[in-house]
Amino acid sequence: MAETKTTVRALVRALDKHKAGNIRVIEVGELTSLADVFVICEGGSSTQVRALADYAEEELKAQGIVPLRVEGYRSQGWIVLDYGDVVAHVFHHETRTFYDLERLWKDGREADITEFLDNEGDDNAV
């Protein structure tokens, strides 16, 4: 679980630092075997979506956190960074609205992202 917290914290900080919009963290581990946590965010253009995914992947790699797989660079409307227990969904605004993952996973617990942006040693969330 400590690895999950570290990955979520790193993703949220990287995405926030690079101006991702509407970052959400949803705990889905009790609902699916796909992942324990989804980190969802958006960019205003295909270029920003790709840049956000690139920055996040680069910053996590610098910390020794490497994705198992990355999908969606061709479409640039929805890029998925799969870190095993944590999956980041970087959407174009319109694509995010269309797929509405927050509604699909509404039974998951949404975490307050400020828990990951503040107090680096505080591990109360996720």
Side-chain angles (χ1 to χ4, degrees), residues 3-111:
E3 281 183 32
T4 299
K5 292 176 188 176
T6 300
T7 303
V8 171
R9 178 173 284 115
L11 275 166
V12 169
R13 288 180 178 198
L15 293 166
D16 182 65
K17 175 181 172 184
H18 295 288
K19 310 295 186 223
N22 196 13
I23 302 169
R24 309 280 288 277
V25 174
I26 303 174
E27 296 176 23
V28 296
E30 293 182 13
L31 306 172
T32 182
S33 61
L34 294 174
D36 289 335
V37 179
F38 286 161
V39 176
I40 304 169
C41 70
E42 65 187 53
S45 68
S46 296
T47 302
Q48 186 184 19
V49 168
R50 183 179 179 107
L52 287 167
D54 286 345
Y55 286 132
E57 187 176 1
E58 182 179 308
E59 289 191 21
L60 270 69
K61 274 185 186 176
Q63 297 177 44
I65 305 169
V66 181
L68 301 175
R69 67 188 75 53
V70 177
E71 299 289 336
Y73 271 98
R74 290 184 193 194
S75 74
Q76 296 183 17
W78 181 1
I79 297 175
V80 177
L81 304 169
D82 182 354
Y83 290 94
D85 289 344
V86 180
V87 176
H89 300 269
V90 184
F91 282 103
H92 187 280
H93 175 73
E94 285 78 19
T95 307
R96 182 179 186 172
T97 301
F98 180 79
Y99 286 102
D100 197 7
L101 289 188
E102 291 91 340
R103 182 186 55 77
L104 292 174
W105 296 101
K106 68 180 180 231
D107 292 335
R109 186 182 86 75
E110 186 167 351

